Amino acid sequence: MKGGDTVNTRANELKDHLNKTISQMALCPDQFSTSDHPAFCRKSKWDFSTLIRFILSFGSNSLGHEIGEFFEYKKGFPTVSAFVQQRKKLNYTALEHLFHCFNDQTLSNPKLFKNYRLLAIDGSDLTLPYNPAEDNVMANHHVSTLHLNALFDVCNKSFVDAIVQKASQENETGAACELVDRIKEKHPVIIMADRGYENYNLFAHVEERLFDYVIRIKDVGSNGIASGLKFPKTEEFDITKDIAITRRSTGPAMVNREKYKYHSKSSHFDYIETSKDPDYEMAIRFIRFPIGEDRFELLATSLPEDIFSSEELKEIYRQRWGIETGFREIKYVLGLSAFHSKKENSVLQELYARLIMYNFSMLITQNVKPKEKDLKYELQVNFTQALKICLKFFKYREKAPPYDIEATIQRFLLPIRPNRKRQRVTVGNCVVPFNYRLT
């Protein structure tokens, strides 16, 4: 019996989940077709299942190289033109459906943090090859952009849900509210988000689901939520405020502006429609703490002090950084920054494919535990190398690879350096041209 048959149990199980779901979808391909006419009914090298598996498997190489590698350069492997014609028939909702089915099958028993599931919300811009025929072009700038809003499980390193918006219609807080409403969860949940999400409407959506939140807001003295509240003069504090959202500009709202937050008809708040509706009350806890010389962070949370201390809330918010790492890895390791088409439908196919392969890889990698060694630092898996190894494993067609995937991942380790700091450098996004792909 080959070594590949006796190892890789978890990896093979996950791969089987994907392949079985794809096979079930192939029984009714018309519901995932862009055409009103029957599709994927003729015998073809690009049948429905093969097309899906190929889109899942490719990275940032040129299409010709990706196709040749997928078919192992066997005689008569299909052309780029044949692939492009077939993918036009495939609606991106096929990959979106596969993404949600795979999550339902594999994330039903997640790792928890103190019995809570930690879910981070954030967004990331995707710069696309310019296509004036699409309606995702930013004004007159000759730039095509989509905005990915994602819900990320930081303890399990998995993307749980996603909403994609055109840049001209971008609304991060609206997408965040929808993501919260769509959560199917049997465990207590803590929603984490950065300063762009400080919004009473989002706070209310979280509380209506009986979840909790830890969201960083703009510091005192800014033009954010904190600007209308009276806080102690001390640099650090942990205080709870009673807030009432109202549509009435008179009465108590005139007398106590700190408690009553007036929202006009044009202000979006989903739980009060008119001034005749009762006020919406909530208790918000605010924690301010230093992060450096003359630098402070301010968190807003629904978690009471008798359950989570301020130190524990700092630790929860620190873990939010996992979604930033996830965005970096799907863009620059799995190749989401190098699209293979100008068509929005094809771009969305690749987006959901990269989310699926990220989750697939991380579910395998989470099973890998570095061996304990007497070293200065603890060790962790090199997730960049792990993603590449898992993607290569998925590309093996109808056979097991001749190596132990978990043992291979374990050969790539990095030291964990706590409290390490590095200045964050941001650069503008640019499109990777079709004729300058990795080889």
Side-chain angles (χ1 to χ4, degrees), residues 121-154:
I121 294 177
D122 207 348
S124 182
D125 286 330
L126 304 173
T127 304
L128 318 179
Y130 175 61
N131 184 2
E134 299 282 4
D135 59 356
N136 53 35
V137 178
M138 286 290 288
N140 298 319
H141 300 301
H142 289 189
V143 175
S144 297
T145 308
L146 292 176
H147 190 75
L148 170 62
N149 302 276
L151 185 68
F152 186 81
D153 187 327
V154 299

Side-chain angles (χ1 to χ4, degrees), residues 357-369:
M357 294 316 297
Y358 181 87
N359 288 0
F360 171 80
S361 302
M362 287 304 164
L363 286 166
I364 295 173
T365 306
Q366 295 272 39
N367 226 31
V368 178
K369 303 297 180 185

Side-chain angles (χ1 to χ4, degrees), residues 12-29:
N12 283 321
E13 178 185 315
L14 293 169
K15 189 173 180 179
D16 286 343
H17 277 312
L18 276 176
N19 287 332
K20 286 178 181 178
T21 304
I22 294 170
S23 297
Q24 291 170 358
M25 292 167 62
L27 297 176
C28 47

Side-chain angles (χ1 to χ4, degrees), residues 3 7 40 140 157 160 179 191 203 206 297 315 321 325 349 373 383 422 437:
V7 295
F40 304 106
N140 298 319
K157 289 186 71 68
V160 177
L179 287 170
I191 299 294
F203 296 171
V206 176
E297 295 285 24
E315 172 61 20
W321 190 255
T325 305
Q349 291 173 8
K373 297 181 180 180
F383 291 105
R422 180 178 179 272
R437 289 298 163 88

